[in-house]
Amino acid sequence: MLKKNSILVLIQTYNDGKYLVKAIKSLLNQTYKKLDILVLDDGSDKQNTSIYEKFIKSQKRVKYIYRKNQGIIKSSILLTKIAKKTSYEFFAKMDGDDISSKNRIKKQINLLKKDYDLVGCNYVRMNSKDKIFEMNYCSRNEVSRTNQLMVESIFAHGSICFKRFLLDKNILKYDSRFSNLPFPEDFNM
């Protein structure tokens, strides 16, 4: 049975250490509360896992899976397979070094309820000193979106939120043939 209005955030991580803790905390502090988190650790080393394993184990809403490193696309494929077996109505993607603003999920769910199937959001890139060095905006202009698609994905995969049927009908999927592209998870989506 489908968990109405519930969302599972799918996180893949590899050696994200303290950033993964920040990422999870940013989700646990969301204004939207019908949210659970699934973390797939793609073979992080002991130094990194020691930073977040204790924290993750103390969180009821976080499920953690560790496996031998197989790469970002294979991790995305596995996460979507696991997601299909759940009863969540919505899903979101995020990387282990991403931080979500506290209203991200609420705003995205509201848009999905207004008849969108997939939504993304603006994002910024920060350096190790938490200084912004790049801002990326999702354009609402159709010509700009078309031009953007010529050179890159409109959304970073870590910013998307989508309806379950996109997975159930294999509309949203990852293909390992494209794993050698730069930022393969963004293009692959």
Side-chain angles (χ1 to χ4, degrees):
M1 185 165 175
L2 195 65
K3 293 181 185 176
K4 196 79 175 145
N5 297 315
S6 64
I7 183 166
L8 180 63
V9 182
L10 308 169
I11 298 179
Q12 54 205 50
T13 188
Y14 175 72
N15 286 336
D16 289 317
K18 66 180 181 179
Y19 298 108
L20 179 60
V21 173
K22 288 182 179 181
I24 293 170
K25 284 181 178 179
S26 78
L27 291 169
L28 294 172
N29 291 324
Q30 291 289 301
T31 55
Y32 194 86
K33 298 299 182 191
K34 291 184 85 173
L35 173 148
D36 292 313
I37 303 163
L38 173 61
V39 177
L40 176 62
D41 188 331
D42 192 31
S44 295
D45 61 35
K46 286 189 187 282
Q47 180 181 347
N48 279 279
T49 57
S50 68
I51 294 169
Y52 49 76
E53 276 186 328
K54 185 178 178 183
F55 171 74
I56 288 174
K57 287 178 183 175
S58 71
Q59 303 301 317
K60 293 178 188 172
R61 296 175 15 198
V62 182
K63 181 171 170 62
Y64 176 77
I65 299 170
Y66 181 90
R67 70 172 191 161
K68 182 180 162 199
N69 182 268
Q70 295 185 28
I72 195 164
I73 296 302
K74 288 186 178 177
S75 292
S76 292
I77 290 169
L78 179 58
L79 276 172
T80 56
K81 283 181 182 177
I82 293 169
K84 283 182 181 183
K85 295 177 182 178
T86 70
S87 57
Y88 292 88
E89 184 176 5
F90 304 109
F91 299 97
K93 290 282 289 180
M94 204 162 115
D95 288 329
D97 60 352
D98 293 345
I99 305 293
S100 287
S101 66
K102 69 180 183 176
N103 292 314
R104 172 199 166 189
I105 300 298
K106 182 178 182 178
K107 288 178 178 180
Q108 289 182 315
I109 295 287
N110 286 340
L111 287 169
L112 292 174
K113 288 179 178 181
K114 289 182 181 179
D115 210 25
Y116 290 93
D117 297 327
L118 181 146
V119 295
C121 58
N122 300 333
Y123 64 97
V124 297
R125 293 181 186 234
M126 300 174 82
N127 63 22
S128 60
K129 295 178 180 168
D130 292 335
K131 299 290 182 202
I132 295 172
F133 68 88
E134 181 182 347
M135 298 183 79
N136 294 280
Y137 298 100
C138 299
S139 175
R140 293 181 185 200
N141 178 291
E142 191 171 327
V143 173
S144 293
R145 285 194 312 260
T146 302
N147 289 337
Q148 188 176 12
L149 273 174
M150 299 291 198
V151 294
E152 62 187 352
S153 175
I154 290 176
F155 303 124
H157 94 147
S159 76
I160 66 168
C161 189
F162 54 93
K163 291 180 179 174
R164 155 170 222 97
F165 87 90
L166 293 177
L167 291 182
D168 291 342
K169 295 190 178 202
N170 291 317
I171 295 169
L172 181 65
K173 60 185 178 181
Y174 295 89
D175 188 331
S176 59
R177 294 177 296 172
F178 303 109
S179 59
N180 292 326
L181 291 172
F183 307 108
E185 68 282 11
D186 295 340
F187 287 106
N188 210 319
M189 180 173 67

